[in-house]
């Protein structure tokens, strides 16, 4: 399987509860390497650009406000099949459907405040990584 990179965001509900280390341990235990990471505070407009694909969804405004409600940790995870592996480690979007042991099963508060985001495909991973990081910041 090819080595891939994927964009991960530890969301405000998780940074607020001091869960960055516990979530990063889940990634590392699964064999994903954190090759870039920074803690930032998005504006609603910056979150809106990131989530533009959801612009027509009824929860878009709420999602943008939530993502700007506190600091987030944006990171690039690298590993064999990293995109799918990260989605496995995160668990289903709605924590009610997330498998035991996954990040969302253990930490997420609701479908909106679900602790982490991860890219869903190679094309989106490339766009999402470039939104937050320059090539010089990716240290494999
Ligand atoms: P994420 O993987 O970051 O991608 C889009 C996000 O929209 C998703 O996680 C959820 O946090 C959020 N989302 C999806 N469905 C809903 C919903 N019904 N209500 C509020 N937020 C949602």
């Amino acid at each position: 399987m090819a080595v891939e990179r994927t964009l991960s965001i530890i969301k405000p509900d998780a940074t607020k509860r001091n869960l960055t280390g516990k979530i990063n341990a889940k990634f590392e235990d699964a064999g994903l390497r954190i090759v870039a990471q920074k803690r930032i505070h998005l504006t609603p407009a910056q979150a809106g650009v990131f989530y533009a694909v959801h612009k027509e969804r009824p929860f878009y405004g709420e999602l943008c406000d939530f993502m700007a409600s506190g600091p987030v940790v944006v990171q690039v995870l690298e590993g064999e099949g990293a995109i799918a592996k990260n989605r496995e480690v995160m668990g289903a979007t709605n924590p009610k459907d997330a498998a035991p042991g996954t990040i969302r099963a253990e930490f997420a508060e609701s479908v909106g405040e679900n602790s982490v985001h991860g890219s869903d495909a190679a094309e989106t991973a490339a766009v999402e990584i470039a939104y937050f990081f320059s090539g010089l910041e990716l240290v494999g």
Side-chain angles (χ1 to χ4, degrees):
M1 199 181 288
V3 173
E4 296 173 336
R5 286 175 170 172
T6 189
L7 191 278
S8 165
I9 306 178
I10 301 178
K11 297 186 179 184
D13 66 285
T15 61
K16 189 168 67 186
R17 288 176 289 146
N18 226 14
L19 292 171
T20 300
K22 286 192 173 128
I23 290 173
N24 279 349
K26 296 265 195 200
F27 295 141
E28 293 186 338
D29 288 350
L32 292 164
R33 302 182 70 80
I34 302 165
V35 298
Q37 175 168 259
K38 57 190 171 191
R39 183 175 168 103
I40 58 176
H41 196 144
L42 294 169
T43 64
Q46 289 167 335
V49 171
F50 180 78
Y51 279 120
V53 66
H54 296 302
K55 207 163 44 199
E56 307 304 332
R57 310 284 282 274
F59 57 81
Y60 179 66
E62 188 187 321
L63 174 62
C64 297
D65 288 345
F66 165 62
M67 291 301 287
S69 68
V72 296
V73 176
V74 292
Q75 45 193 192
V76 179
L77 309 178
E78 182 182 87
E80 298 225 337
I83 296 165
K85 188 178 281 185
N86 181 39
R87 292 179 73 77
E88 242 176 73
V89 174
M90 289 193 299
T93 303
N94 189 333
K96 288 186 189 138
D97 304 325
T102 61
I103 291 170
R104 285 167 170 160
E106 285 191 18
F107 303 126
E109 302 198 294
S110 65
V111 66
E113 305 201 3
N114 62 354
S115 302
V116 280
H117 165 83
S119 307
D120 63 2
E123 302 72 37
T124 39
V127 171
E128 291 181 359
I129 289 169
Y131 188 61
F132 291 111
F133 295 98
S134 76
L136 286 176
E137 293 176 299
L138 307 177
V139 185

